[in-house]
Amino acid sequence: HVQLVESGGGSVQAGGSLKLSCAASGYIRSSCGIGWYRTAPGKERELVASIRRDGTTEYAFSVKDRFTVSLNNAVNAMYLQMANLKTEDTAIYYCAAKSFGGVCYSDYVNWGQGTQVTVS
């Protein structure tokens, strides 16, 4: 099946920026909906940003106006541009898609392995 692979994580000082990328190993039906989640130590997984089936974007309140989610269907990739990073943004970030085998699902069914973001 199509695999998702994140990259771009790392360590950055507070106030800095990072851009996460998520490359799909093949065609992924992004029109079903895609998203970025994060898991911080001791916290539940959180939906950070998403692009819904209707093309609209959604952001967690904690990242609104700082993070931007985008797609490049030509190269089967999605991105999360993060600016003005805060220590509380430290987490493992995962990309996910609501499609598998070309079929749309109501939940995220295709997940990347995650990339660590550390803000100090």
Side-chain angles (χ1 to χ4, degrees), residues 103-116:
V103 178
C104 290
Y105 293 84
S106 58
D107 294 321
Y108 290 97
V109 293
N110 201 346
W111 293 81
Q113 84 291 347
T115 186
Q116 176 71 47

Side-chain angles (χ1 to χ4, degrees), residues 67-111:
F67 289 12
T68 303
V69 60
S70 61
L71 275 171
N72 185 338
N73 289 315
V75 296
N76 296 314
M78 62 182 89
Y79 308 96
L80 184 67
Q81 178 69 56
M82 306 184 293
N84 190 21
L85 283 160
K86 304 177 180 181
T87 55
E88 51 264 41
D89 294 320
T90 295
I92 299 174
Y93 285 73
Y94 302 86
C95 60
K98 289 187 176 181
S99 66
F100 191 91
V103 178
C104 290
Y105 293 84
S106 58
D107 294 321
Y108 290 97
V109 293
N110 201 346
W111 293 81

